[in-house]
Amino acid sequence: QVQLVESGGGLVQAGGSLRVSCAASGRPLSRYAVGWFRQAPGKEREYVGSINRSGGATYITDSVKGRFTISRDNDKNTVYLQMNSLKVEDTAVYYCAADPTGVRPDGVMPYWGKGTLVTVSP
């Protein structure tokens, strides 16, 4: 099975940018569609977006559309979430999740990383 590790989180000022990564080991990440989810303090987990196995198709949820993009480098076994024009309300733990058949926005996914914290200050 695949193991996922997120990295790249940190503290950034509102309006800034950050790129978080999801690195895979154990199996080629090219076999999996990957989704990004986030959970803010005291809130439910939220679907952010997803990318198919080849990287040819992505989906970004409306609340971050135009600011966030997802990409992947299968040679590096890594998926990226580029976050621009960050807002305080983007503060959350960001998780990646993988499934060979596709990403479910409800979060019912077999493989998860442990998350990386993104904090956006005013």
Side-chain angles (χ1 to χ4, degrees), residues 6 15 85 90-91 106 108:
E6 301 92 339
S85 302
D90 294 319
T91 295
D106 61 6
V108 178

Side-chain angles (χ1 to χ4, degrees), residues 8-19 67-68 82-91 94 117-122:
L11 176 64
V12 61
Q13 283 192 320
S17 297
L18 204 61
R19 187 179 76 166
R67 300 190 295 121
F68 289 14
Q82 176 69 44
M83 301 181 288
N84 300 326
S85 302
L86 281 160
K87 304 177 181 180
V88 172
E89 52 264 41
D90 294 319
T91 295
Y94 284 74
L117 176 63
V118 173
T119 304
V120 184
S121 63

Side-chain angles (χ1 to χ4, degrees), residues 50-89:
S50 56
I51 188 165
N52 70 347
R53 288 181 292 180
S54 69
T58 59
Y59 180 82
I60 299 291
T61 198
D62 286 345
S63 62
V64 300
K65 192 171 292 183
R67 300 190 295 121
F68 289 14
T69 57
I70 298 175
S71 62
R72 68 191 298 158
D73 186 338
N74 284 339
D75 289 338
K76 294 183 178 179
N77 262 357
T78 303
V79 171
Y80 305 98
L81 176 66
Q82 176 69 44
M83 301 181 288
N84 300 326
S85 302
L86 281 160
K87 304 177 181 180
V88 172
E89 52 264 41

